[in-house]
């Protein structure tokens, strides 16, 4: 143990410099008995907040333990909007003056540009005034132009023409075979047929009906040496269609012709003559372009081969091919 340790039984003054503690049992410098709370209210042994010796009067002049005034502190002034120390009013920073709205200036510049544009175009401009509020946009009211602008006029173009492959009637069809061209004899037309430009270069087909089959049209043949002849595969080159139509009530007296049937029995067939009218039509439009006259269907001789109706046992003679060629020669010469 060191020599400066106080003897047992006493309590040294905790505020005394080291090595100068009073003897145990001596009265503290504050005047209060040992073990009694200091008057400042601070815990025993704590140094006063003022920094003065324990028990000395504070430098501010206020009673010991009293709160010093705000002027005693060297604290920095509070920031704008920050509360001050107790007892000190919180200073407020002066608010800057409100910035004048530039909206009116922008609107004025825009209105000036519009005015200049309208004046250049011969028009005028009026404004509605607004008082005391820069935030409201003035509404420009433009007058009409003094010079009328160009006006649209209806097109002077004529009606559209029909294309080369467009139908000219509701019964127009597109042929796939040479037999399809017989539709011309029923009032139709052929879209993919050659146009009729004249008789010298025309190609022709001829179709015929029959008294017992008036709506069925069969193709009639003629010499392939003719200039107007066209093969079946070349049906699109045809521009003329000849229609042979039977004359109603023109049937002659039947001629009895006997034949051996396929079963070996002998049958008698009534072979009947008649007359036809021949007309020529443009294949592409169906328009009638000429008359071929009357063509007979003679039944003076029984043919070596015959087709007949097994119910009526009748057969009608076909129009004479020589007469057909003669009519074509006259028309397409």
């Amino acid at each position: 143990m060191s020599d400066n340790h106080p003897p047992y039984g006493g309590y040294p003054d905790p505020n005394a410099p080291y090595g100068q503690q009073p003897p145990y049992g001596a009265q503290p410098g504050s005047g209060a008995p040992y073990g009694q709370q200091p008057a400042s209210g601070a815990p025993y042994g704590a140094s006063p907040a003022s920094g003065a010796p324990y028990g000395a009067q504070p430098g501010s002049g206020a009673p010991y333990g009293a709160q010093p005034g705000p002027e005693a502190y060297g604290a920095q002034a509070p920031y704008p909007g920050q509360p001050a120390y107790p007892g000190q009013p919180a200073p407020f920073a002066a608010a800057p003056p409100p910035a004048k709205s530039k909206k009116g200036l922008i609107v004025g510049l825009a209105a000036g540009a519009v005015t200049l544009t309208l004046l250049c175009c011969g028009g005028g401009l009026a404004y509605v005034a607004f008082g005391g509020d820069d935030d409201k946009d003035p509404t420009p009211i433009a007058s009409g132009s003094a010079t009328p602008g160009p006006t649209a006029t209806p097109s002077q173009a004529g009606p559209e023409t029909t294309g080369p492959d467009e139908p000219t009637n509701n019964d127009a069809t597109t042929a796939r075979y040479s037999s399809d061209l017989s539709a011309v004899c029923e009032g139709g037309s052929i879209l993919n047929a050659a146009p009729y430009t004249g008789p010298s270069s025309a190609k022709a087909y001829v179709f015929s009906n029959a008294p017992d089959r008036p709506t069925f049209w069969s193709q009639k043949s003629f010499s392939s040496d003719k200039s107007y002849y066209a093969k079946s595969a070349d049906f699109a080159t045809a521009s003329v269609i000849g229609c042979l139509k039977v004359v109603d009530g023109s049937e002659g007296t039947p001629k009895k012709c006997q034949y051996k049937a396929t079963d070996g029995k002998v049958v008698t067939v009534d072979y009947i003559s008649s007359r036809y009218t021949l007309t020529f039509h443009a294949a592409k439009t169906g328009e009638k372009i000429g008359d071929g006259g009357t063509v007979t269907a003679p039944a003076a001789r029984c043919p070596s081969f015959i087709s007949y109706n097994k119910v009526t046992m009748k057969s009608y003679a076909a129009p004479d091919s020589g007469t057909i060629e003669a009519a074509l020669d006259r028309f397409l010469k």
Side-chain angles (χ1 to χ4, degrees), residues 206-210 216-220 242-246 276 319:
V206 178
F207 297 91
S208 173
N209 66 353
F216 177 79
W217 299 83
S218 60
Q219 186 175 346
K220 300 304 174 181
C243 298
L244 284 162
K245 185 177 182 181
V246 67
Y276 289 80

Side-chain angles (χ1 to χ4, degrees), residues 284-312:
K284 196 169 188 66
T285 63
E287 179 186 2
K288 180 181 176 180
I289 56 177
D291 286 309
T294 300
V295 177
T296 60
R301 297 184 307 172
C302 293
S304 57
F305 177 82
I306 194 171
S307 61
Y308 61 96
N309 188 319
K310 292 183 178 181
V311 176
T312 63

Side-chain angles (χ1 to χ4, degrees), residues 47-94:
S47 177
S50 63
Y54 198 90
Q57 183 72 20
S60 61
Y64 191 86
Q67 181 71 25
E71 64 277 3
Y73 292 93
Q76 185 177 356
Y79 294 100
Q82 181 180 357
Y85 291 103
Q88 180 180 358
F92 293 93

